[in-house]
């Protein structure tokens, strides 16, 4: 009986922690949207904060619901607390640049840890 309880506790903890955002993308990012506006985006384990150039800040709760690794490319599926779904797409192994895509695969933001980059910049960096 003890082993069964430990197994259930272990499985519950996996489910509980799998909903939190991955360490791979947590932290601060510099972002550019489709209108070439600049933002700072911060991911924590359960919240996304966006700050525009006028310092207007918005916060969203989120959960991570998927992870995919294919040919060195990482994609994380996230869902905001209001139901909207996005993908964090990292075409480089070091995950220092990426894109936030909407559910239809369109770019919402380009992301970089070190500076503002465009879509073309992401694919030029090697």
């Amino acid at each position: 009986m003890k082993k069964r309880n430990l197994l259930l506790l272990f499985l519950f903890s996996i489910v509980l922690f799998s909903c939190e955002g991955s360490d791979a993308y947590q932290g601060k990012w510099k972002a550019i949207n489709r209108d070439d506006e600049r933002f700072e985006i911060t991911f924590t384990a359960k919240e996304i904060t966006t700050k525009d150039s006028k310092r207007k800040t918005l916060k969203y709760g989120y959960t991570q619901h998927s992870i995919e690794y294919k040919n060195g490319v990482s994609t994380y599926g996230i869902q905001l607390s209001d139901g909207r779904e996005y993908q964090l797409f990292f075409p480089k192994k070091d995950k220092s640049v990426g894109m936030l895509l909407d559910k239809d695969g369109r770019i919402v933001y380009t992301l970089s840890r070190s500076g503002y980059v465009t879509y073309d910049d992401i694919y030029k960096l090697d």
Side-chain angles (χ1 to χ4, degrees):
M1 191 66 159
K2 239 181 183 180
K3 287 184 181 181
R4 182 172 176 238
N5 288 343
L6 285 173
L7 179 62
L8 287 174
L9 180 62
F10 175 72
L11 291 174
F12 177 73
S13 67
I14 289 175
V15 170
L16 180 65
F17 290 111
S18 66
C19 294
E20 291 185 352
S22 172
D23 288 340
Y25 58 81
Q26 285 185 38
K28 292 187 179 194
W29 294 88
K30 298 199 181 293
I32 299 177
N33 71 5
R34 290 181 265 213
D35 297 325
D36 291 324
E37 297 170 319
R38 294 179 177 209
F39 292 80
E40 289 181 9
I41 299 176
T42 303
F43 289 89
T44 64
K46 296 181 181 184
E47 192 173 69
I48 301 169
T49 303
T50 63
K51 190 181 300 182
D52 67 17
S53 60
K54 297 176 184 166
R55 310 306 282 171
K56 180 181 176 187
T57 302
L58 298 172
K59 293 185 180 200
Y60 307 92
Y62 81 99
T63 56
Q64 179 181 307
H65 59 74
S66 67
I67 301 172
E68 182 181 334
Y69 301 104
K70 189 174 183 180
N71 298 326
V73 174
S74 301
T75 306
Y76 300 86
I78 62 172
Q79 183 173 24
L80 300 187
S81 54
D82 65 9
R84 291 181 287 169
E85 293 191 28
Y86 296 95
Q87 293 182 334
L88 286 159
F89 177 75
F90 297 98
K92 309 289 182 186
K93 287 185 181 182
D94 69 0
K95 294 182 184 71
S96 64
V97 294
M99 292 173 270
L100 181 70
L101 308 174
D102 67 14
K103 67 179 182 174
D104 297 320
R106 293 181 302 237
I107 297 173
V108 178
Y109 296 105
T110 56
L111 304 168
S112 173
R113 294 277 190 192
S114 59
Y116 295 99
V117 297
T118 66
Y119 174 86
D120 291 336
D121 294 333
I122 290 172
Y123 283 99
K124 287 180 193 171
L125 301 173
D126 278 324

